[in-house]
Amino acid sequence: MQATSGNISEVLTRTPLRVAVTASGNDKGSLDSLDVVAIDVRGMPLAAGRRAARPSAEGGLHAHIVDVTGAGAVVHVHAMASVLAGRRWPAGVPLRDVEMLKALGRAAHGDDVLVPVIANSQDMGELGARLDAVLDAGVPGVVVADHGLYVWGADLDQARHRTEAFEWLLRLALESTRLS
Ligand SMILES: [Zn+2]
């Protein structure tokens, strides 16, 4: 996570939905418990921490994603490969016939995968609606154009592993266009 970009979240309780999300503006390489804020399904903080009272503005989208997908954790990164791939394939990034697709729960062969690309917005409600519209793509992640990547999983480990797989696959797609 370059600079202070990106954020991580994990479900605390499902009913009512309570989510732990990294606070705004912190270096994700040196987090402690005070850098994490609990939010509700609308992204509103439940209680002010001593130092990190303000959840990331993107927390609302994290809460929305775990609410609609049933996932246990979300990782958001400003991966350069996702920004470049969103520019190259604004209607979605096509992937097929590569072993790494298994990491996204898809088949390594004969499976046409399209990683959705949605337009960016500073309005988390608007981004949430755009995400809802592409959930039927059947992949646990979405590229936000000129911004980055949101990935979800059953827990934080799976969300991180899938984030690494998405980054690898998007880089593969970009590099492959240079070869053909
Ligand atoms: Zn972001």
Side-chain angles (χ1 to χ4, degrees):
M1 292 179 170
Q2 289 77 19
T4 59
S5 70
N7 28 65
I8 310 160
S9 66
E10 191 166 35
V11 171
L12 296 169
T13 63
R14 180 62 61 182
T15 323
L17 188 65
R18 301 284 184 250
V19 180
V21 65
T22 45
S24 183
N26 290 332
D27 184 334
K28 308 309 180 298
S30 56
L31 293 176
D32 64 31
S33 60
L34 298 176
D35 297 315
V36 179
V37 187
I39 57 172
D40 65 14
V41 69
R42 297 165 301 133
M44 302 306 289
L46 297 176
R50 268 181 291 167
R51 172 153 65 85
R54 201 161 58 88
S56 164
E58 294 169 326
L61 188 58
H62 284 247
H64 179 74
I65 289 171
V66 295
D67 188 31
V68 298
T69 66
V74 178
V75 171
H76 168 56
V77 291
H78 292 185
M80 188 181 289
S82 65
V83 174
L84 290 170
R87 289 180 177 178
R88 173 72 176 72
W89 296 280
V93 185
L95 298 167
R96 190 189 152 91
D97 292 340
V98 59
E99 190 73 19
M100 187 66 102
L101 285 171
K102 287 183 183 174
L104 306 184
R106 299 295 293 259
H109 295 285
D111 189 6
D112 285 306
V113 176
L114 193 71
V115 179
V117 177
I118 61 174
N120 194 24
S121 173
Q122 301 306 312
D123 181 328
M124 292 306 126
E126 211 166 271
L127 270 184
R130 288 173 188 166
L131 181 126
D132 292 347
V134 297
L135 280 180
D136 59 358
V139 292
V142 62
V143 170
V144 181
D146 294 326
H147 183 164
L149 183 62
Y150 280 85
V151 182
W152 51 92
D155 55 29
L156 211 39
D157 280 339
Q158 187 181 53
R160 180 170 61 86
H161 296 154
R162 286 174 169 177
T163 302
E164 290 171 359
F166 269 111
E167 286 200 57
W168 190 94
L169 286 160
L170 295 172
R171 278 187 54 204
L172 176 74
L174 291 161
E175 297 285 335
S176 297
T177 60
R178 290 206 240 159
L179 300 174
S180 57

